[in-house]
Amino acid sequence: MSGMTALAIGIVLGVFVAPGLWWCGGAVLLMRALLWRWPSWRLLALCLLAGVAWGSVAVQQGLAGWLPPELAGADITVTGTIRDLPERQVLGPGRERWRFVLRVEASPHWPGRHLVRLNWYDAPQPLAAGDHLQLRVRLQAPRGRVNEGSADGARLDMARGIDASGTVRALIAHQPARAGVAPLREAIGQVVAGTLGQARPAGRVLPALIAADRRALTDADWQLLQQTGTAHLMAISGLHITLVAGMIWWLVRAALTPWARGWRLTPAQWAVWPALLSALGYAALAGFALPTQRACLMSLVALLAIRWRLRWRTGTALLCAALAVLLPDPLAALDNGFWLSFGAVALLVWLARGGDTSLWRVQWLLSFGLGAFSAWLFSAWGLAAPLANLVAVPVFTLVIVPLALVGALLPGAQGVWWLAALLVDLCWQGLEHLAAWQPLLPPPASLAAALAVLLACLLVCRPPGPWPRWWVPLLLLPWCWPAGAPLAEGDFDLVVFDVGQGQALAIRTRRHLVLYDLGPGWAGGNAGEQVLRPWLLKQRRPVTLAFISHGDSDHAGGLPGLDGLLPAQGLYSSDERPPSGTRRCLRGQYWSLDGVSLEVLWPTPALPLVQRNNRSCVVRVRGRGGTVLLTGDITRPVEYRLAAWGDLSPVTVLQVPHHGSATSSSYALLRATQPRWAFASAGHANRFGHPAQNVRARYAALGVPLLVSSETGMIVFSLHGSHNPAPLLWRARYPRPWRPQAAATQHTP
């Protein structure tokens, strides 16, 4: 191990562990003990400690820049500039929303410079990149939803320098953008879209390739790209920037070679500067987003090595490129794109050192090897990815991107857009046919399973070694394993997802899954797609039953994101206007799955005219390890009726009705159920104040621990036989510096 390797490893450890002074002190003592035994490790130990300290400092500085708690939810005034292309979304007749990132340059309430992500509903005038605004805003510090298998928004915000997010309350002053790169990018996107039209794929794709303007790409476009493994083509990062720099370097070198007689520098060395300028220009055209900045730094390392004739080994070059990114910005290690980019380059270098860079080996290694790791991150993996990339990558990078740039930057050359557009449309049709044909593979259930698939691909791509090839397929076995330990007959897990202000639950038995509520929906997404789908795809169990307690959007909004995963004849709801194919949820319905029974207690067939919340489907789940009562959004009138009928009995876990509103959780319900645990699904700092303070006090007075999903992250109640461990709380189980925990609510009753 070299000192550079130790430094890079130390930075990554410091970012993800973010040790305090006590941790650093313990590390120093450990290093002293090691150096006393192995003095030659002195340089490695110092580099490792320096990296850990630098990574830890970067995390603490990032946290220090976040919005102070005392300003959360308050109206403050900020002045700044729109950093990137703002997105406009039509919400309905006469309703629209603008989303953008504001670079805050001054604020009387919040000193310093910050990046803030804002939503502006029904803005009085259109917005453009580079506009200078003075606004009154209401902000919250970054706080992501914490679930197994889905992205942590707070981690990504820290990686991208976002210090707060919120909504615009009022406009104070608006100064339109002046001439610059940002207005140029917007103008290019508008010209391309106006020339080609957004009805055809090229009108949506070419602005993304030229100026990183991906606003016109629809959800269907992104779904197609993810299914075929080609979404990386829409990001102006390492692939496109390296291609442009490499092509300019090759052209300039070829042009100078006939004249290079008696020159002190070779044509290859002279060509470095135009190549570097082209990389910087393309990155500027893409708005200098973080991926483009990293790609420029890596290109800079490679080009300077050519300029000064540095004969680095491939591993040294990779380490220098990694440190060029991590030293100025250690928080880049928190971004998944950093690992995917360097992973792809490292695999290609490893393959080249083996002496065989045939196209099929490259595609096999990247599409299946690195694709398994990408599938673990994003829960999307298809068999068509190698074939799609085999054609799309050369066509896009070698033909479409150069043509699009020539048409955008050279006056009078816009006619080449039509050739680029024709190629884009043909490729798009091919991707649609592949997506319709290919079978989707379930993603690896764990990181270990993904790494095992990667190792299997590495062994297949390299020449035979001292190991027998027959045991390579054994490495694929972890990919088939379900997530979590196997359950016995009669045991079940209750999983409470952290979905914000809404509810989504899952019951996991030995061979089946049951869903109760599907989470909220919002403009541009829903919890079914972003939270439930990644988790369900890794379980290796079918969804046998699904209940939508009632039709409110915070319980049923995730339905569109679960297309293809819900049972055709097993979806139940008590809503007056249920979705197509849904059966009515009624008292007396009963199911038994793997020794676990599910019984509907409410509503009754002769349901009087009541409020929608009180139509919620109430389900009791019983197994060997205990009983769970799921109540939806019922309020006190239904609670009194169920208690008077004698339907309620002591339970192990109670879902707090109506997210803990003051109109629910009556003493009649709590006395009848006598829960050992209770949980409420509610969003952080939600405008309803759920759970209400009097409800919290009521549970506390009865000695019932009340867990709130926004405070704990995902919750897993394991009801296994006679011994039921304390619930697994995701924020406490997997602590991170950017995941603040609530006050202790984790004691065992």
Side-chain angles (χ1 to χ4, degrees), residues 336-350:
N336 296 331
F338 171 83
W339 296 102
L340 290 175
S341 299
F342 271 91
V345 174
L347 289 176
L348 292 176
V349 169
W350 178 85

Side-chain angles (χ1 to χ4, degrees), residues 491-558:
D491 292 349
F492 69 97
D493 294 331
L494 171 64
V495 181
V496 182
F497 296 98
D498 180 9
V499 294
Q501 186 58 25
Q503 181 165 276
L505 317 173
I507 298 160
R508 179 171 51 194
T509 69
R510 185 175 184 179
R511 292 180 294 270
H512 299 275
L513 286 171
V514 178
L515 297 181
Y516 183 89
D517 283 336
L518 309 178
W522 51 83
N526 59 77
E529 177 184 7
Q530 297 187 12
V531 178
L532 291 178
R533 177 175 283 272
W535 185 85
L536 291 172
L537 290 175
K538 295 179 180 180
Q539 299 307 306
R540 306 295 197 276
R541 296 175 175 89
V543 179
T544 306
L545 287 171
F547 297 91
I548 300 176
S549 63
H550 61 300
D552 283 357
S553 61
D554 57 337
H555 295 253

Side-chain angles (χ1 to χ4, degrees), residues 215-260:
R215 296 176 295 178
L217 292 172
T218 64
D219 293 339
D221 292 336
W222 284 114
Q223 185 177 5
L224 175 65
L225 293 168
Q226 291 171 357
Q227 289 177 355
T228 55
T230 54
H232 61 92
L233 295 176
M234 296 299 107
I236 300 179
S237 55
L239 179 63
H240 297 323
I241 289 180
T242 304
L243 165 75
V244 170
M247 291 183 64
I248 296 297
W249 177 83
W250 182 83
L251 290 172
V252 173
R253 187 192 64 167
L256 294 178
T257 298
W259 311 94

Side-chain angles (χ1 to χ4, degrees), residues 386-480:
L387 183 58
N389 282 279
L390 183 66
V391 177
V393 169
V395 172
F396 269 79
T397 56
L398 298 178
V399 183
I400 294 177
V401 170
L403 289 177
L405 289 175
V406 169
L409 300 178
L410 294 183
Q414 295 182 359
V416 299
W417 278 347
W418 294 103
L419 179 56
L422 177 62
L423 293 174
V424 169
D425 292 341
L426 291 175
C427 287
W428 210 259
Q429 292 178 10
L431 293 178
E432 290 175 344
H433 288 301
L434 282 176
W437 161 81
Q438 72 159 349
L440 292 178
L441 295 173
S446 64
L447 177 60
L451 295 178
V453 174
L454 175 58
L455 178 59
C457 292
L458 290 173
L459 296 178
V460 170
C461 289
R462 287 298 295 268
W467 50 81
R469 284 288 182 93
W470 61 265
W471 61 264
V472 171
L474 298 178
L475 294 172
L476 303 180
L477 291 179
W479 171 70
C480 303

Side-chain angles (χ1 to χ4, degrees), residues 6 56 267:
S56 177

Side-chain angles (χ1 to χ4, degrees), residues 277-312:
L277 289 176
S278 66
L280 290 173
Y282 195 17
L285 196 59
F288 269 121
L290 285 177
T292 60
Q293 294 177 25
R294 297 165 193 159
C296 280
L297 287 173
M298 289 186 284
S299 300
L300 175 65
V301 171
L303 291 171
L304 292 182
I306 296 175
R307 167 62 180 83
W308 278 283
R309 297 182 179 179
L310 300 177
R311 298 186 178 275
W312 285 340

Side-chain angles (χ1 to χ4, degrees), residues 583-622:
R583 300 183 178 185
R584 191 178 179 191
C585 180
L586 293 173
R587 175 181 172 86
Q589 292 169 333
Y590 180 89
W591 300 266
S592 180
L593 303 173
D594 300 328
V596 178
S597 65
L598 295 95
E599 180 184 6
V600 177
L601 303 182
W602 180 267
T604 62
L607 182 67
L609 295 177
V610 296
Q611 180 195 22
R612 172 184 281 184
N613 286 345
N614 283 332
R615 292 178 176 269
S616 294
C617 188
V618 178
V619 178
R620 179 165 55 198
V621 186
R622 285 176 171 171

